[in-house]
Amino acid sequence: MEKLIDLFPLEHAEVTEEGIVFKGCTYSCSIAIREQWYGKFLGDIPIYVDNFDEGYILVLLKDGSLTIALRVTKPVDTNQQSIESYQAQIRSLKEQLKYRKKRRWKQ
């Protein structure tokens, strides 16, 4: 029988104020949020990684159990002009749909 370490190599990630950081990617899990790791515990933690999927890591907890931490993306900065343009496009599409519905009811 294969061991966990054979399938998922043991590595170390850093807990920062931003989240759990490994190879430039940021991850988070419910236990870290609930226990407020990001505000009070900063340092290295043991993790297991899937070499074929960077979307998650397995965090080894102090009691020996594992929890899944999912990769998080940082929000994209948008400027006010692009937001207003997007909203104007949505309003225009709504008006077009409303006009089409009115035309169908008249037929």
Side-chain angles (χ1 to χ4, degrees), residues 98-107:
K98 193 184 294 183
Y99 177 73
R100 287 181 186 175
K101 284 182 181 180
K102 285 181 181 179
R103 282 189 18 204
R104 281 192 200 143
W105 282 101
K106 289 181 180 181
Q107 292 178 352

Side-chain angles (χ1 to χ4, degrees), residues 68-80:
I68 297 173
L70 299 175
R71 186 174 178 184
V72 294
T73 57
K74 296 181 181 178
V76 177
D77 289 333
T78 56
N79 61 31
Q80 188 63 30

Side-chain angles (χ1 to χ4, degrees), residues 1-4 6:
M1 174 169 272
E2 293 181 275
K3 295 181 180 180
L4 182 65
D6 294 333

Side-chain angles (χ1 to χ4, degrees), residues 28-68:
S28 185
C29 66
S30 60
I31 292 174
I33 293 168
R34 185 173 52 244
E35 295 179 1
Q36 300 177 357
W37 290 6
Y38 311 132
K40 58 184 174 183
F41 174 76
L42 304 177
D44 287 347
I45 57 169
I47 62 167
Y48 292 98
V49 297
D50 183 343
N51 288 327
F52 301 102
D53 188 351
E54 291 182 352
Y56 72 97
I57 56 175
L58 301 172
V59 177
L60 182 59
L61 302 173
K62 290 180 182 178
D63 67 1
S65 64
L66 295 170
T67 188
I68 297 173

Side-chain angles (χ1 to χ4, degrees), residues 20-27 54 71-72:
I20 302 167
V21 179
F22 177 70
K23 289 189 176 178
C25 298
T26 304
Y27 299 85
E54 291 182 352
R71 186 174 178 184
V72 294

